[in-house]
Amino acid sequence: MKLEFWFEFASTYSYPAAMRIDKVAATQGVEVEWRPFLLGPIFKAQQGLDDSPFNAVPEKGAYMWRDLERICEARGLPFQRPSRFPRNGLPAARATLALPNDRRPSFVKAVFQANFVHDRDIADPAIIHAALRRAGVEPFEIEERIDDSDIKDQLRADTAAAAARGIFGSPTFFTEDGEMFWGDDRLDQAIDWAAHIAAVQH
Amino acid sequence: MKLEFWFEFASTYSYPAAMRIDKVAATQGVEVEWRPFLLGPIFKAQQGLDDSPFNAVPEKGAYMWRDLERICEARGLPFQRPSRFPRNGLPAARATLALPNDRRPSFVKAVFQANFVHDRDIADPAIIHAALRRAGVEPFEIEERIDDSDIKDQLRADTAAAAARGIFGSPTFFTEDGEMFWGDDRLDQAIDWAAHIAAVQH
């Protein structure tokens, strides 16, 4: 009874999804697997874009910022539009992979808050370190591991796997029977689906 | 207490929205204005596309068809993936504008069903005529009007107005205070917003 949660740290709608997924999943006994990946190479390969579609198509961007603002307001979630978008999520993605599973959610949420609440550069080592400490990890304990070639290889492989499985945006959720759901607005449906398969199988 | 419902007949997510909007709006006493427009010129101008983004980016298309299938199944709404996509919605959009307001919803729904349930060519005059009859209109009564230059001009002007107001997809909803909502998955929120403004104003 698992749900894979694939996310890119620069992605706007991934912020509200990351902040609530554990709580929603827990109500249905679903376990969440936090899977960071990079959207940049996917946008480039699929759409020939060197930037976020929200910048490439300003009309979509303008709507997205307002929509996100309304979503956060409705949920009582703090939000500040970042002064730079999209930010470089690569170092945070590597750090996530270097962490044990049980530390990932707190770290990931702290990084999303740095980007979308505190308007900080999430590629800055000081911000990554602060997020690690928020997750109860001493930065020096994993600092070397973040730069290990196996972590770099894993992120590259995970991003390739995301593309191969049809991912084109973030957040994306996969249930154990392979159903794919895209967007914060499909999170509840994805959790329901994950819980329902489990009910049928067991 | 009105909600503008802007839609393109070729648009996939506009089908489930069209089928339920009147019912959802009625529960909150919101009146729906049915506003056909053309997405083709907007995709071209904003994204340089000569085709639907769902064809231009096959990964998005593959996900959309599965997502739409799930939505229709969950709502008990018949659905058959059209053998051609996107279909030409121009004649149906003109016909909608030629109809009195009270005939539009039935006609529009009949056209969406022709496209997404019965897999018919919605540019075929026979299909347009059948949809008109479903709406209680004798085709010969408005046939000449559909080709009037003022109807053609109005559709062109409405499409330009849609682009000017920031529309980039269908369905799109506007409340009376100018809030924009995009997608069938924002329909309930749009109706709530429309009803809430009314509550504040009156």
Side-chain angles (χ1 to χ4, degrees):
Chain A
M1 204 155 180
K2 281 183 192 170
L3 186 73
E4 294 174 38
F5 168 35
W6 290 75
F7 60 92
E8 147 74 59
F9 280 104
S11 154
T12 50
Y13 288 110
S14 300
Y15 160 55
M19 300 311 286
R20 72 190 179 107
I21 191 167
D22 272 343
K23 201 171 172 182
V24 182
T27 61
Q28 302 226 37
V30 170
E31 188 191 327
V32 178
E33 266 184 29
W34 297 63
R35 305 290 304 266
F37 74 107
L38 300 181
L39 258 182
I42 291 180
F43 285 152
K44 179 74 178 172
Q46 294 176 354
Q47 304 188 47
L49 292 176
D50 290 310
D51 198 350
S52 162
F54 293 128
N55 291 338
V57 186
E59 294 82 359
K60 289 191 126 174
Y63 173 76
M64 176 277 290
W65 291 115
R66 178 61 183 140
D67 188 46
L68 188 63
E69 191 174 62
R70 285 190 305 234
I71 287 169
C72 292
E73 197 175 310
R75 295 184 195 162
L77 205 57
F79 170 70
Q80 189 187 160
R81 179 172 168 172
S83 53
R84 292 194 60 176
F85 173 81
R87 285 202 163 107
N88 175 12
L90 176 69
R94 283 188 187 152
T96 307
L97 292 177
L99 286 173
N101 277 316
D102 65 337
R103 299 292 169 175
R104 291 183 183 186
S106 308
F107 172 73
V108 171
K109 287 182 219 176
V111 175
F112 272 116
Q113 287 173 317
N115 196 357
F116 295 107
V117 181
H118 307 296
D119 191 20
R120 304 298 297 266
D121 177 4
I122 56 171
D124 179 347
I127 299 300
I128 301 274
H129 289 183
L132 287 169
R133 280 189 210 96
R134 283 267 300 277
V137 176
E138 274 310 316
F140 70 85
E141 285 175 23
I142 69 146
E143 211 163 21
E144 277 182 29
R145 186 146 166 62
I146 292 176
D147 291 320
D148 272 2
S149 64
D150 65 320
I151 291 289
K152 291 179 184 175
D153 289 347
Q154 194 187 332
L155 182 58
R156 223 173 281 124
D158 283 357
T159 297
R165 288 171 72 181
I167 285 183
F168 55 87
S170 173
T172 295
F173 314 97
F174 284 101
T175 56
E176 287 182 88
D177 60 345
E179 283 286 322
M180 174 174 155
F181 297 87
W182 169 57
D184 171 74
D185 48 22
R186 295 292 186 280
L187 170 56
D188 304 87
Q189 190 189 4
I191 303 264
D192 278 346
W193 194 283
H196 180 74
I197 315 161
V200 170
Q201 286 176 340
H202 298 291
Chain B
M1 203 151 179
K2 279 182 193 171
L3 187 73
E4 294 174 39
F5 169 35
W6 290 75
F7 60 92
E8 148 75 57
F9 280 104
S11 153
T12 50
Y13 288 109
S14 301
Y15 161 55
M19 300 310 286
R20 72 190 180 107
I21 190 167
D22 272 343
K23 201 171 172 181
V24 181
T27 62
Q28 301 226 38
V30 171
E31 190 190 326
V32 178
E33 265 184 28
W34 296 64
R35 306 289 306 265
F37 74 106
L38 300 180
L39 259 181
I42 291 179
F43 286 151
K44 179 74 179 173
Q46 293 176 354
Q47 305 189 46
L49 292 176
D50 290 311
D51 198 349
S52 162
F54 292 128
N55 291 337
V57 186
E59 294 82 0
K60 289 190 127 175
Y63 174 75
M64 176 277 290
W65 290 115
R66 177 60 183 142
D67 188 47
L68 188 63
E69 192 174 61
R70 284 190 306 233
I71 288 169
C72 291
E73 197 174 309
R75 295 185 195 160
L77 204 57
F79 170 70
Q80 189 187 157
R81 179 173 168 172
S83 52
R84 294 194 60 177
F85 173 81
R87 284 203 164 106
N88 174 13
L90 176 69
R94 284 188 187 153
T96 308
L97 293 176
L99 286 173
N101 278 316
D102 64 336
R103 299 293 169 176
R104 291 183 182 185
S106 308
F107 172 74
V108 171
K109 287 181 220 177
V111 175
F112 273 116
Q113 288 173 316
N115 197 357
F116 295 106
V117 181
H118 307 296
D119 190 22
R120 303 299 297 265
D121 177 4
I122 56 172
D124 179 345
I127 299 300
I128 301 275
H129 290 183
L132 287 169
R133 281 190 210 98
R134 283 268 297 278
V137 177
E138 274 309 314
F140 71 85
E141 286 174 24
I142 69 146
E143 210 163 23
E144 277 183 27
R145 188 147 164 62
I146 292 176
D147 291 320
D148 272 3
S149 64
D150 65 320
I151 291 290
K152 291 180 184 174
D153 289 348
Q154 194 187 329
L155 182 58
R156 224 174 279 125
D158 284 357
T159 297
R165 288 172 73 181
I167 284 182
F168 56 87
S170 174
T172 296
F173 314 98
F174 284 101
T175 57
E176 287 181 87
D177 61 346
E179 283 285 323
M180 175 173 154
F181 297 87
W182 170 58
D184 170 74
D185 47 23
R186 296 292 187 279
L187 170 55
D188 304 270
Q189 190 190 3
I191 303 266
D192 278 347
W193 194 284
H196 179 75
I197 314 161
V200 172
Q201 287 176 340
H202 297 291

